[in-house]
Amino acid sequence: MKYFMELTNPIHGGEGWDLGEKLWSPEKGTWKIMQEPRAGDIIIHSVKPKGGRHHFFGISIVRTSCKSLKTAPPKPDKWIGYETYYQIDLQDLSYFAQEKSMQGFLDEYKLQLDKIKPQHSFYNEKGRLQPSQKYLATVSSKVFQLLMNYLDFNFYSYLSSNHKNSNIAPRVEDEEEITTFNGGNSLPTRVTTSVSRIIRNTTIIKELKTKYKNKCQICGKQIKLPNGSFYSEGHHLKKLGGTYKGPDIPSNIIIVCPNHHTEFDYGSIAIDPKTHLIVDIDKSSEYNGKPLAYERSNLDNSFLAFHLKNIYNQ
């Protein structure tokens, strides 16, 4: 198992590039480190608000190794115009109980960090230790131990619970490294911790699908399966994870077909909260400016407004 640090901003890259779900970068020498993470490796996420300082946000597990894509990430900003991009899929994002600052960590553990001198780290090693200006960096196992101690995070509980529910096989290094990391000469093991993790209530979406007969609220179509049942998907207008941390409640969920689900994710389509008319970036679309396939009294206009402002209008 290897460890990495993502240094990013709270807004991240929008839907499709949510914090803790994917890593993106141009396919260029500067970002060659994106080729290193493998399935089962660990990513620590540090975010820096505009005008603020880096703080540790959460931790996730690499689901798939780096892919090379010709499509750009959502909201590429200064990364627009590259021919190809790196993409890494993540899973099992867990928030740290306290969003402690990176500078606080560097100051508190300076003596230990001065002795370790890791390669390609997330902090500069000259003078006063400070966060580096890079997107992804390696984290040595010794520095990782110090981080878990600083964040008071029970990494083994997190790893155990998520590996039980994952189809990811730990890398060969896992057994030996965990034994060393948890051994007698290592840092003291913390017994208590507080971890916040997204737990989706699948019953809510199932009940909505049944109530509205698996009909897409945009096009009104049903997808019939060979066994005679119908298929649809539930979309959270204010996303549960990442920066937004929306609620898992019926008024935040619409039932859609896979095509329109993708369009909602990427901000290609929205619902006007005042008129409940469909808004599409493709003004020639057959749905643009049209009413919904069916109305719902339990759909909260504030979530429609949030999606329109923060996803579609971005």
Side-chain angles (χ1 to χ4, degrees):
M1 177 182 294
K2 292 185 177 181
Y3 312 99
F4 299 86
M5 179 78 69
E6 179 196 27
L7 297 97
T8 187
N9 59 76
I11 302 302
H12 213 241
E15 294 280 339
W17 188 5
D18 302 282
L19 187 61
E21 293 192 8
K22 290 183 186 296
L23 301 178
W24 282 88
S25 81
E27 187 172 342
K28 192 177 177 181
T30 308
W31 294 280
K32 199 171 182 179
I33 188 175
M34 290 279 285
Q35 297 178 357
E36 295 186 21
R38 298 288 184 270
D41 285 347
I42 301 299
I43 306 292
I44 299 172
H45 304 278
S46 177
V47 299
K48 180 183 179 182
K50 189 174 181 179
R53 293 187 172 189
H54 268 284
H55 63 269
F56 299 114
F57 181 84
I59 188 170
S60 62
I61 299 173
V62 175
R63 184 163 64 88
T64 61
S65 300
C66 184
K67 300 186 287 284
S68 177
L69 303 176
K70 292 185 177 180
T71 54
K75 302 182 188 177
D77 193 25
K78 61 184 179 181
W79 287 354
I80 195 169
Y82 289 87
E83 292 185 3
T84 53
Y85 295 85
Y86 292 129
Q87 184 199 79
I88 297 174
D89 293 322
L90 309 176
Q91 66 179 33
D92 300 323
L93 172 66
S94 182
Y95 304 107
F96 295 129
Q98 300 179 50
E99 296 181 356
K100 293 186 175 181
S101 74
M102 183 184 293
Q103 191 61 60
F105 167 75
L106 298 176
D107 291 342
E108 183 174 337
Y109 289 91
K110 186 179 186 306
L111 292 178
Q112 295 95 316
L113 294 172
D114 282 342
K115 296 177 182 179
I116 295 172
K117 298 189 179 301
Q119 297 291 318
H120 310 296
S121 186
F122 58 92
Y123 58 89
N124 298 320
E125 300 171 33
K126 294 181 180 179
R128 183 192 182 193
L129 303 183
Q130 293 180 319
S132 296
Q133 296 294 319
K134 57 179 68 176
Y135 175 59
L136 189 67
T138 58
V139 178
S140 71
S141 58
K142 290 183 179 179
V143 173
F144 184 78
Q145 293 178 42
L146 297 176
L147 279 167
M148 295 299 98
N149 190 62
Y150 174 71
L151 295 167
D152 197 18
F153 185 77
N154 191 330
F155 175 66
Y156 294 101
S157 175
Y158 165 77
L159 193 66
S160 175
S161 63
N162 283 299
H163 270 159
K164 286 178 181 178
N165 301 314
S166 172
N167 57 4
I168 294 176
R171 290 172 70 173
V172 175
E173 298 96 332
D174 281 6
E175 184 175 351
E176 180 180 355
E177 186 162 297
I178 288 177
T179 301
T180 303
F181 182 55
N182 207 28
N185 294 325
S186 184
L187 294 170
T189 301
R190 300 277 178 150
V191 178
T192 60
T193 188
S194 176
V195 179
S196 175
R197 185 174 300 135
I198 298 173
I199 302 176
R200 297 172 187 259
N201 189 341
T202 56
T203 302
I204 293 175
I205 291 182
K206 288 180 181 178
E207 290 177 348
L208 288 173
K209 288 179 179 181
T210 301
K211 183 175 182 178
Y212 298 104
K213 301 179 181 179
N214 288 284
K215 289 183 179 180
C216 174
Q217 199 165 355
I218 300 300
C219 62
K221 295 178 181 178
Q222 297 171 305
I223 298 176
K224 191 169 185 178
L225 302 178
N227 63 3
S229 63
F230 293 91
Y231 177 81
S232 64
E233 297 177 355
H235 171 73
H236 289 83
L237 294 161
K238 187 174 184 181
K239 196 171 182 66
L240 300 186
T243 304
Y244 301 133
K245 301 180 184 178
D248 195 12
I249 55 178
S251 57
N252 186 35
I253 300 170
I254 57 173
I255 302 302
V256 284
C257 65
N259 284 347
H260 285 122
H261 193 175
T262 301
E263 291 191 334
F264 270 100
D265 274 342
Y266 282 87
S268 298
I269 198 170
I271 300 171
D272 188 306
K274 295 181 180 178
T275 64
H276 280 204
L277 296 179
I278 299 165
V279 185
D280 197 313
I281 59 169
D282 181 4
K283 302 309 176 186
S284 64
S285 166
E286 62 178 304
Y287 303 109
N288 185 52
K290 298 293 179 65
L292 297 172
Y294 57 89
E295 286 285 351
R296 279 177 48 194
S297 60
N298 61 344
L299 195 59
D300 193 322
N301 286 338
S302 67
F303 295 126
L304 294 176
F306 179 90
H307 180 270
L308 180 69
K309 178 182 178 181
N310 296 278
I311 309 302
Y312 178 83
N313 283 336
Q314 294 297 319

